[in-house]
Amino acid sequence: MRLATWNVNSVRSRIDRVVQFLDRQDIDVLALQETKCRDDQFPFERFDELGYEVAHLGVNQWNGVAIASRVGLSDVELAFPGQPGFDKDAGESLISAPVVESRALGATCGGVRVWSLYVPNGRTLGDPHYAYKLEWLAALRATAGGWLTADPQAKVALVGDWNIAPRDEDVWSMEFFAGKTHVSQPERDAFNAFLDHGFADVMRPFAPGPGVYTYWDYTQLRFPRREGMRIDFILASQALAATVKDANVDREERKGKGASDHAPVIAEFGLPNE
């Protein structure tokens, strides 16, 4: 099974690139983030033409997550249990907040439980969105850890834009990011908690840093200057990680006109396409 995750930064704007990527990389399951559209605006027909089933969660021009699969798609969940919401009007992060954003979508594809995740950005260290980010990650870790406690052999993939660079080598300049989100110790601790509770970053052994990035800001010529961040990950449960054969970043997809500011992350698992 070839599994990919990609913050596409508007699926409608980049659907031609997505279709070409699926064909070029022979992808079985693709998780998308920042689709930036409502369900009724999603280009389902383009995936249908290629033989993919699609689940999408989007309510407006913000956020949005999807999973496209040609190896089956079942048991779709539109949020993980206990997912916090964010009260935009009050500017507060609360478990009971009225708005659970379109940031998490789960489905079973080819025997693997795949979650497409768009972790909150955090904005600044003093912003309520930062507290929301940490709360969101803690809730996901508790829920995902429960899945593995219930079934240690479960094949689970937590994939997407994590908005965290867990190591210094994952950003082009720690001096530039000093005092900013994405590299703060609480964020890194939150990410590492998944590794401590049975998940593995399957790409890093195949694509070690420094200099291996998945995101480059559109401004300041960040991409040609190789000034990026590694913030997109495929975290796999131990039962799934044990089958990984290869993993990499498709840096080519960050090139050219109309590219997303993220590049896809791809992992190949030695699993039958059920």
Side-chain angles (χ1 to χ4, degrees), residues 52-175:
Y52 289 85
E53 297 177 80
V54 178
H56 176 256
L57 174 63
V59 297
N60 52 34
Q61 74 273 29
W62 307 111
N63 309 320
V65 284
I67 298 173
S69 171
R70 65 180 185 185
V71 293
L73 189 146
S74 62
D75 302 321
V76 174
E77 288 185 81
L78 303 184
F80 61 82
Q83 181 174 326
F86 187 73
D87 189 335
K88 295 181 180 180
D89 293 329
E92 294 179 351
S93 154
L94 299 167
I95 289 287
S96 59
V99 180
V100 175
E101 297 179 303
S102 48
R103 293 183 175 275
L105 177 71
T108 299
C109 308
V112 177
R113 190 64 180 165
V114 178
W115 281 89
S116 180
L117 305 169
Y118 180 41
V119 175
N121 178 281
R123 300 175 185 167
T124 67
L125 298 183
D127 194 286
H129 209 259
Y130 178 75
Y132 167 51
K133 179 179 191 174
L134 296 178
E135 183 180 330
W136 200 96
L137 287 162
L140 175 62
R141 205 286 307 157
T143 297
W147 296 332
L148 301 190
T149 298
D151 181 4
Q153 296 305 309
K155 294 181 176 63
V156 181
L158 306 178
V159 312
D161 178 357
W162 289 75
N163 271 314
I164 300 171
R167 299 184 184 180
D168 289 358
E169 66 186 33
D170 295 336
V171 296
W172 64 274
S173 169
M174 277 301 296
E175 182 179 3

Side-chain angles (χ1 to χ4, degrees), residues 2 13 28 70 100 106 141 155 174 184 231 245 261 265:
R2 286 177 62 77
S13 298
D28 295 305
R70 65 180 185 185
V100 175
R141 205 286 307 157
K155 294 181 176 63
M174 277 301 296
S184 72
I231 58 175
K245 299 169 64 177
D261 45 5
V265 174

Side-chain angles (χ1 to χ4, degrees), residues 157-232:
L158 306 178
V159 312
D161 178 357
W162 289 75
N163 271 314
I164 300 171
R167 299 184 184 180
D168 289 358
E169 66 186 33
D170 295 336
V171 296
W172 64 274
S173 169
M174 277 301 296
E175 182 179 3
F176 176 84
F177 284 100
K180 295 181 173 67
T181 59
H182 293 56
V183 301
S184 72
Q185 197 58 51
E187 290 168 287
R188 288 180 168 183
D189 289 346
F191 183 91
N192 288 328
F194 289 87
L195 307 185
D196 293 338
H197 287 82
F199 288 89
D201 173 0
V202 300
M203 184 179 69
R204 198 178 295 272
F206 295 93
V212 178
Y213 305 132
T214 65
Y215 165 85
W216 301 259
D217 196 292
Y218 286 128
T219 65
Q220 304 295 316
L221 298 174
R222 295 293 185 211
F223 183 66
R225 292 168 60 175
R226 299 183 178 273
E227 296 176 348
M229 308 174 71
R230 187 196 297 234
I231 58 175
D232 301 85

